[in-house]
Amino acid sequence: MHYVLLGIAMYAMDIVFTTNFATSLEAAFIGHLSWRWIFWNGAVLTPVMMVLIYFGIPWQPLPQPKEGQPKPSWRGFFHFSVGMALLYTALDQGQRLYWWHSGIFVGLVVSGLFLVGMTVIRRVRMPNPLVNLKFLLSRNTLLLGVVLIFFRFVMLTTVVVIPSYLGSVKGYLPLQIGPVLLWVGLPQVICGLLAMYLLRYIDARLILTFGFTLVAIACLLNARLSSAWSGANFGFSQMIMAVGLAFAFNAMVGAIILEVVNSGALKRPIDVLTFAGYFQTVRLFGGEAGAAFLGHFIATREQFHSNILGLGVQLGDPSTYQRLLGLGAGVKSRSPGLSDAAGRAGEILGLQIRQQAFTLAITDSFMLIAFSVVCCLVVIACMAPVPTQY
């Protein structure tokens, strides 16, 4: 327990920093090597990870069921894993496949739900000695899972929303987007250690509230963006976002560790296995669900704003005519004739409408994430006190 806080700080810095550093790393691969190195990166690092796991985790024999207890059902674990993988794939490809209009998407969802449902039925009829679902029926355990989902959704601000705006509206290359996102990763070192120090003396719920409040403020600052913003305009809000994420994530992981300690699960391997499996499932599946929802939200809002803006752009309207006339004059010198200049002016006007519609959709995304933070604060307020035992 003497080194738990340091371990939490290192884990939190690793998760948040590498998530934002990944964009810069991918840009370096594409710009200097090849996009294939995005995948070779995992192939190279995996053997290193295996060595670290081998020497970092001591070998222990698997727990054996006592007399009268059922044996572990690996078939059930296999069915559940395949079912969740199918649902994960459906969420990941749903926007590209156009959701329920695609037979592939429907097949993935139906087959995934079938396998998960069969696993649940098998679990009810044949209890598994490696899973204790009753242990999860704790208020703080369930609410911390919800907080983890909200946190994964909030992280999409720097992983999806800002890169989408800089790439689509401003035409930034990946190498130019990376430095903007690094502002979130670098302050983690200082703020993460500070959050761990405060966890010794302050209830984790208060630190969680402080961190998420800063995240909401950063999102509201970003919600004022216009198509004139560049990467430099995100500097101040990114600093606030970095501090907020550092406090929120460290406090959340600290609260999860305290929950397993306070519940006495460290003395019961089955409860530790169940606890770890629950939070890893929530982390992976909740994050993918949030990414799928946000991608669909941005596309839908862009279409909405494009329709609304298009209503004000009508042929014969004086303002539209003046706009087309100005754009046509600008491209006249680089066009073969007046008709070609007029056609190019119409194309440019369409692109400008699309640019403004996408900018408004990104603004709505920042407001959506700020609203989700408010909902998360309500969840945190419903949590029971977290006794500090570090």
Side-chain angles (χ1 to χ4, degrees), residues 87-107 109 288-289 291-297 299-300:
L87 294 176
Y88 188 97
T89 305
L91 288 174
D92 186 65
Q93 300 296 317
Q95 185 65 30
R96 183 182 66 84
L97 296 174
Y98 199 37
W99 301 106
W100 296 105
H101 297 274
S102 169
I104 297 177
F105 177 82
V106 174
V109 173
E288 183 59 37
F293 173 74
L294 185 62
H296 179 70
F297 178 84
T300 303

Side-chain angles (χ1 to χ4, degrees), residues 17-31:
F17 179 80
T18 53
T19 300
N20 295 279
F21 179 72
T23 303
S24 299
L25 188 61
E26 290 177 1
F29 286 153
I30 295 173

Side-chain angles (χ1 to χ4, degrees), residues 220-274:
L220 292 177
L221 290 175
N222 288 334
R224 302 181 303 169
L225 95 158
S226 67
S227 58
W229 276 36
S230 63
N233 294 102
F234 291 99
F236 180 67
S237 62
Q238 286 292 87
M239 290 297 295
I240 298 177
M241 177 73 69
V243 177
L245 290 176
F247 278 95
F249 190 72
N250 280 276
M252 180 181 65
V253 176
I256 292 174
I257 298 298
L258 283 174
E259 179 66 18
V260 71
V261 171
N262 294 329
S263 63
L266 293 179
K267 301 177 181 178
R268 300 185 298 273
I270 180 176
D271 292 341
V272 175
L273 285 173
T274 305

Side-chain angles (χ1 to χ4, degrees), residues 5 8-9 12-13 187-204 207-208 210-211 243-252 254 390:
L5 287 176
I8 295 174
M13 286 186 289
Q188 287 293 318
V189 178
I190 299 175
C191 297
L193 294 176
L194 177 59
M196 287 298 96
Y197 174 78
L198 295 177
L199 268 178
R200 290 180 179 272
Y201 310 103
I202 302 177
D203 193 325
I207 303 177
L208 266 173
F210 175 72
V243 177
L245 290 176
F247 278 95
F249 190 72
N250 280 276
M252 180 181 65
Y390 292 121

Side-chain angles (χ1 to χ4, degrees), residues 47-325:
V48 179
M49 295 168 58
M50 295 171 65
V51 173
L52 295 175
I53 291 172
Y54 180 81
F55 289 102
I57 302 178
W59 181 86
Q60 292 181 349
L62 291 175
Q64 298 297 326
K66 299 178 181 179
E67 293 187 13
Q69 286 186 339
K71 296 182 179 180
S73 172
W74 300 110
R75 186 182 303 173
F77 280 121
F78 176 75
H79 290 164
F80 181 79
S81 299
V82 174
M84 294 298 287
L86 291 171
L87 294 176
Y88 188 97
T89 305
L91 288 174
D92 186 65
Q93 300 296 317
Q95 185 65 30
R96 183 182 66 84
L97 296 174
Y98 199 37
W99 301 106
W100 296 105
H101 297 274
S102 169
I104 297 177
F105 177 82
V106 174
L108 289 171
V109 173
V110 172
S111 55
L113 290 177
F114 173 78
L115 289 174
V116 172
M118 291 300 97
T119 305
V120 173
I121 295 175
R122 182 182 178 88
R123 173 66 179 80
V124 172
R125 297 183 59 186
M126 301 175 61
N128 194 313
L130 297 182
V131 179
N132 182 18
L133 296 179
K134 293 182 179 180
F135 176 72
L136 301 178
L137 298 180
S138 168
R139 178 167 50 153
N140 275 14
T141 300
L142 296 176
L143 292 181
L144 280 171
V146 178
V147 171
L148 179 56
I149 293 175
F150 276 116
F151 182 84
R152 295 279 294 177
F153 185 69
V154 165
M155 286 190 67
L156 297 176
T157 304
T158 57
V159 177
V160 175
V161 181
I162 294 179
S164 297
Y165 168 79
L166 294 176
S168 300
V169 178
K170 306 307 295 184
Y172 274 37
L173 298 175
L175 284 172
Q176 296 171 303
I177 298 176
V180 179
L181 302 183
L182 284 177
W183 280 105
V184 175
L186 295 177
Q188 287 293 318
V189 178
I190 299 175
C191 297
L193 294 176
L194 177 59
M196 287 298 96
Y197 174 78
L198 295 177
L199 268 178
R200 290 180 179 272
Y201 310 103
I202 302 177
D203 193 325
R205 297 176 301 171
L206 298 178
I207 303 177
L208 266 173
T209 301
F210 175 72
F212 276 111
T213 301
L214 290 181
V215 171
I217 293 174
C219 289
L220 292 177
L221 290 175
N222 288 334
R224 302 181 303 169
L225 95 158
S226 67
S227 58
W229 276 36
S230 63
N233 294 102
F234 291 99
F236 180 67
S237 62
Q238 286 292 87
M239 290 297 295
I240 298 177
M241 177 73 69
V243 177
L245 290 176
F247 278 95
F249 190 72
N250 280 276
M252 180 181 65
V253 176
I256 292 174
I257 298 298
L258 283 174
E259 179 66 18
V260 71
V261 171
N262 294 329
S263 63
L266 293 179
K267 301 177 181 178
R268 300 185 298 273
I270 180 176
D271 292 341
V272 175
L273 285 173
T274 305
F275 193 83
Y278 166 72
F279 277 102
Q280 290 298 333
T281 303
V282 169
R283 182 180 69 85
L284 294 173
F285 201 77
E288 183 59 37
F293 173 74
L294 185 62
H296 179 70
F297 178 84
I298 292 176
T300 303
R301 294 303 295 176
E302 181 187 8
Q303 183 179 15
F304 168 78
H305 288 298
S306 181
N307 292 334
I308 296 299
L309 294 174
L311 294 177
V313 181
Q314 302 292 335
L315 291 177
D317 184 77
S319 59
T320 304
Y321 177 76
Q322 290 294 330
R323 184 78 172 186
L324 290 173
L325 193 63

Side-chain angles (χ1 to χ4, degrees), residues 34-49:
S34 168
W35 61 267
R36 293 176 177 84
W37 269 97
I38 296 176
F39 300 97
W40 277 113
N41 177 71
V44 171
L45 291 181
T46 297
V48 179
M49 295 168 58

